């Protein structure tokens, strides 16, 4: 009679739990003791739960990796692997039972923490439930990824290396684009946050799932629940990816050769991907070293060839692997070289793009890119919309396109600055460009004249509205710090505006006296700022130690 097919083995599960019982109990104790610290501080607990889903994601990933390395340890020992796989237990049963044990290892301690948080948070218990849900999905993804890496690798070290590589696919892609292609795309902004979608730890570090806000009362500052973040969709994507990863894991595990123990990567497709990453790393490393002498495309291509040879030596066996590595590395270098050439020729005209006057509704210029450059409370940009102003910025844009191709990478960065031009077009879209420009040039002087305007240095659009708003001004020097109020605030702002209009304020100057504004602006007061210096000596002589 044919026996029933089983994809789970309760005996194996009991063994998994019993083998690491003491470690599991220690983890439970640490988690419970940590949760008890919040018994009398429910407001701070809200902030802790919110930040834990962002900053704690690395710890979740490490826990998942360690759990897999412990539970799947038989895959990396010849004696254990041959013995256990000779038993009448399907490989799928080993896989799903180990994964179940790993889930229990994580879920029970976290559930115990969550129960305590329910009691502490009271009516806001749902925040703890959101935290448990978000962290559980994170853990499931990292657990599935670690299990896939384990069945693809032949050693524990290789498993950890593959886990690190697959968890940072976005970071690797961003490095490749930044080093290989960004220097050819003058003016184009390569946003790293788009690549973080393929790097979960980076994405969660940059985004929040649970929002809190800081509120004040007469005794102390408190945190309160402010709502759910706008990136829960990413949690759903990770959950789906965790389930889908089970399919290739099962397929690879079924075909895994028991004698592959000791090999770094046992799965041919994953080995090819790993070789590609090692080759690209070689090219990036060679280019980074060549930056010391000015940077060279030859060094980049040579690094790709060398990286291909080293990758082949590490990942494969055989007498002809050096020759294979040379051929494959040369092929990779040729492909990358041709792609860089095509990008530099810019057949689509991306680097030469600029709008016409009729297409621009308004534009902003800033020292760094921010999607909210047109918001009223954003004081790090200058916003213009008059036709004459648009024509002037388009003339400057033309010069920047020309100058941008002439920037020498060997020149000291103190000789250059950067400018971001963000266009709001009449069709409602926004397009931004970034350029480096030499300070000692005609274009540099034109751009610097914008940064020297009082509107930018002080952060206002309408002067009367600026004076009448509730703005704090403080003065710092070696002798202390002072906060101004009332008429003093308006008087020193008038003095600062006068110095800005005279061109006396230098953005690159250094001094021991600074005037700061509550909108984030700060101005260095040098002897050239005569109007402000005179006001300080009369109204605040303590700044100079008098």
């Amino acid at each position: 009679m044919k026996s029933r097919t089983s994809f789970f083995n309760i005996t194996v599960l009991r063994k998994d739990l019993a083998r690491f019982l003491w470690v599991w109990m220690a983890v439970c104790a640490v988690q419970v003791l940590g949760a008890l610290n919040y018994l009398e501080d429910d407001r701070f607990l809200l902030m802790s739960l919110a930040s834990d889903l962002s900053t704690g994601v690395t710890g979740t990933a490490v826990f998942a990796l360690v759990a897999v390395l412990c539970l799947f340890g038989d895959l990396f020992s010849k004696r254990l692997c041959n013995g256990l796989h000779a038993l009448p237990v399907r490989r799928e049963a080993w896989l799903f039972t180990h994964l179940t044990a790993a889930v229990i290892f994580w879920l029970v301690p976290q559930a115990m923490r969550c129960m305590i948080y329910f009691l502490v948070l009271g009516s806001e218990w749902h925040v703890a439930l959101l935290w448990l849900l978000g962290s559980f999905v994170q853990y499931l993804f990292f657990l599935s990824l670690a299990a896939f890496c384990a069945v693809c690798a032949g050693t524990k070290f290789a498993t950890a290396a593959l886990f690190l590589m697959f968890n940072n696919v976005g970071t690797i892609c961003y490095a490749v684009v930044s080093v290989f292609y960004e220097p050819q795309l003058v003016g184009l902004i390569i946003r790293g946050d788009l690549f973080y979608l393929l790097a979960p730890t980076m994405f969660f570090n940059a985004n929040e799932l649970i929002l809190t806000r800081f509120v004040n009362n007469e005794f102390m500052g408190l945190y309160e629940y402010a709502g759910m973040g706008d990136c829960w969709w990413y949690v759903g994507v990770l959950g789906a990816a965790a389930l889908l990863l089970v399919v290739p894991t099962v397929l690879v595990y079924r075909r895994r050769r028991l004698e592959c123990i000791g090999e770094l990567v046992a799965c041919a497709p994953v080995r090819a991907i790993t070789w590609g990453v090692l080759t690209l790393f070689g090219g990036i490393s060679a280019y980074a070293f060549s930056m010391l002498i000015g940077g060279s495309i030859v060094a980049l291509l040579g690094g790709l060839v060398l990286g291909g040879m080293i990758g082949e030596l590490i990942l494969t066996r055989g007498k002809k692997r050096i020759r294979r590595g040379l051929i494959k590395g040369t092929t990779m270098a040729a492909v990358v070289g041709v792609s860089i050439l095509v990008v530099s020729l810019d057949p689509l005209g991306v680097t030469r793009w600029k709008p016409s006057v009729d297409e621009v509704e308004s534009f902003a210029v800033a020292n760094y890119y921010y999607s909210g450059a047109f918001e009223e409370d954003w004081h790090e940009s200058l916003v213009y919309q008059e036709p004459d102003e648009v024509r002037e910025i388009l003339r400057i844009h033309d010069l920047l396109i020309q100058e941008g191709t002439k920037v020498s990478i060997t020149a000291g960065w103190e000789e250059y600055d950067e400018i971001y031009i963000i266009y709001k077009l009449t069709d409602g879209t926004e397009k931004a460009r970034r350029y480096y420009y030499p300070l000692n040039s005609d274009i540099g002087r034109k751009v610097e004249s914008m940064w020297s305007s009082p509107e930018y240095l002080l952060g206002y659009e309408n002067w009367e509205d600026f004076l009448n708003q509730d703005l704090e001004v403080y003065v710092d020097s070696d002798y202390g710090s002072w906060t101004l109020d009332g008429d003093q605030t308006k008087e020193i702002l008038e003095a600062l505006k006068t110095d800005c209009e005279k061109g006396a304020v230098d953005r690159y100057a250094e001094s021991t006296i600074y005037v700061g504004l509550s909108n984030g602006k700060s101005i260095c007061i040098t002897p050239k700022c005569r109007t402000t210096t005179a006001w300080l000596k009369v109204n605040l002589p303590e700044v100079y130690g008098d």
Side-chain angles (χ1 to χ4, degrees), residues 121-426:
L121 293 174
S123 62
E124 293 184 332
W125 59 270
H126 59 281
V127 180
L129 192 61
L130 286 175
W131 164 80
L132 182 64
L133 175 62
S135 55
F136 181 60
V137 175
Q138 289 176 348
Y139 179 73
L140 281 183
F141 172 77
F142 292 124
L143 181 64
S144 296
L145 181 60
F148 174 74
C149 295
V151 299
C152 290
T155 65
K156 291 184 177 181
F157 172 79
T159 300
L162 288 177
F163 182 77
L164 182 66
M165 181 184 74
F166 283 121
N167 192 44
N168 289 278
V169 170
T171 307
I172 295 171
C173 293
Y174 181 58
V176 170
V177 172
S178 298
V179 173
F180 292 3
Y181 305 111
E182 188 174 18
Q184 323 302 326
L185 298 171
V186 178
L188 203 65
I189 301 173
I190 308 296
R191 292 176 53 187
D193 56 339
L194 298 178
F195 292 91
Y196 291 165
L197 294 173
L198 298 177
T201 52
M202 301 294 291
F203 181 87
F204 283 114
N205 280 324
N207 295 276
E208 294 182 339
L209 293 177
I210 298 176
L211 303 179
T212 59
R213 56 173 166 258
F214 186 78
V215 294
N216 291 313
N217 65 7
E218 56 183 311
F219 299 108
M220 61 180 292
L222 300 175
Y223 288 91
E224 68 178 15
Y225 175 64
M228 297 173 59
D230 56 1
C231 59
W232 277 91
W233 62 270
Y234 191 74
V235 176
V237 171
L238 281 191
L243 297 177
L244 292 175
L245 270 173
V246 175
V247 177
T249 303
V250 171
L251 295 177
V252 173
Y253 195 16
R254 280 179 178 175
R255 303 183 61 180
R256 178 186 169 94
R257 296 174 291 108
L258 297 183
E259 61 271 16
C260 72
I261 297 172
E263 298 180 15
L264 285 180
V265 184
C267 177
V270 176
R271 187 187 303 120
I273 295 173
T274 307
W275 176 86
V277 171
L278 290 174
T279 304
L280 293 173
F281 180 76
I284 292 173
S285 300
Y287 185 75
F289 281 114
S290 74
M291 290 281 286
L292 300 175
I293 57 173
S296 171
I297 191 69
V298 176
L300 189 152
L301 298 178
L304 289 173
V305 176
L306 182 61
M309 295 173 62
I310 294 175
E312 194 71 15
L313 285 171
I314 292 174
L315 297 173
T316 62
R317 299 173 182 176
K319 296 181 179 180
K320 297 182 179 180
R321 52 184 177 168
I322 295 180
R323 181 182 176 184
R324 288 199 308 268
L326 178 60
I327 295 173
K328 292 167 67 176
T330 304
T331 304
M332 174 72 86
V335 172
V336 171
V338 171
S339 65
I340 291 176
L341 177 62
V342 172
V343 171
S344 65
L345 294 175
D346 191 19
L348 300 179
V350 175
T351 59
R352 299 186 299 274
W353 175 88
K354 71 179 183 68
S356 64
V357 177
D358 297 333
E359 292 178 315
V360 179
E361 178 182 320
S362 60
F363 70 91
V365 291
N367 268 134
Y368 59 92
Y369 178 68
Y370 176 66
S371 59
F374 295 96
E375 296 175 2
E376 292 183 0
D377 58 349
W378 178 248
H379 305 290
E380 296 300 325
S381 62
L382 294 170
V383 179
Y384 303 97
Q385 57 185 9
E386 296 298 327
D388 291 341
E389 296 169 334
V390 173
R391 292 188 186 92
E392 179 61 23
I393 197 63
L394 291 178
R395 282 193 289 269
I396 293 177
H397 194 160
D398 270 331
L399 292 173
L400 287 169
I401 291 174
Q402 299 169 20
E403 291 288 345
T405 59
K406 300 177 182 177
V407 173
S408 172
I409 202 166
T410 59
W413 285 110
E414 66 275 2
E415 299 178 17
Y416 292 87
D417 203 344
E418 62 181 346
I419 180 175
Y420 288 79
I421 305 176
I422 306 102
Y423 293 103
K424 179 183 285 187
L425 304 179
T426 53

Side-chain angles (χ1 to χ4, degrees), residues 388-494:
D388 291 341
E389 296 169 334
V390 173
R391 292 188 186 92
E392 179 61 23
I393 197 63
L394 291 178
R395 282 193 289 269
I396 293 177
H397 194 160
D398 270 331
L399 292 173
L400 287 169
I401 291 174
Q402 299 169 20
E403 291 288 345
T405 59
K406 300 177 182 177
V407 173
S408 172
I409 202 166
T410 59
W413 285 110
E414 66 275 2
E415 299 178 17
Y416 292 87
D417 203 344
E418 62 181 346
I419 180 175
Y420 288 79
I421 305 176
I422 306 102
Y423 293 103
K424 179 183 285 187
L425 304 179
T426 53
D427 61 3
T429 61
E430 289 185 15
K431 287 192 177 182
R433 289 293 184 268
R434 177 188 64 187
Y435 296 97
Y436 293 98
Y437 60 90
L439 295 174
N440 296 321
S441 65
D442 291 338
I443 182 62
R445 284 183 283 273
K446 285 189 176 183
V447 174
E448 285 300 309
S449 66
M450 292 190 294
W451 300 144
S452 301
S453 66
E455 289 84 358
Y456 178 77
L457 292 172
L458 298 176
Y460 72 88
E461 292 185 12
N462 183 281
W463 179 246
E464 294 300 326
D465 294 340
F466 183 68
L467 285 180
N468 294 325
Q469 67 177 332
D470 186 15
L471 191 70
E472 290 186 1
V473 179
Y474 55 88
V475 181
D476 282 328
S477 76
D478 289 341
Y479 299 97
S481 180
W482 298 265
T483 301
L484 307 182
D485 54 15
D487 293 337
Q488 285 187 326
T489 298
K490 294 184 178 181
E491 290 173 2
I492 196 170
L493 288 176
E494 292 282 3

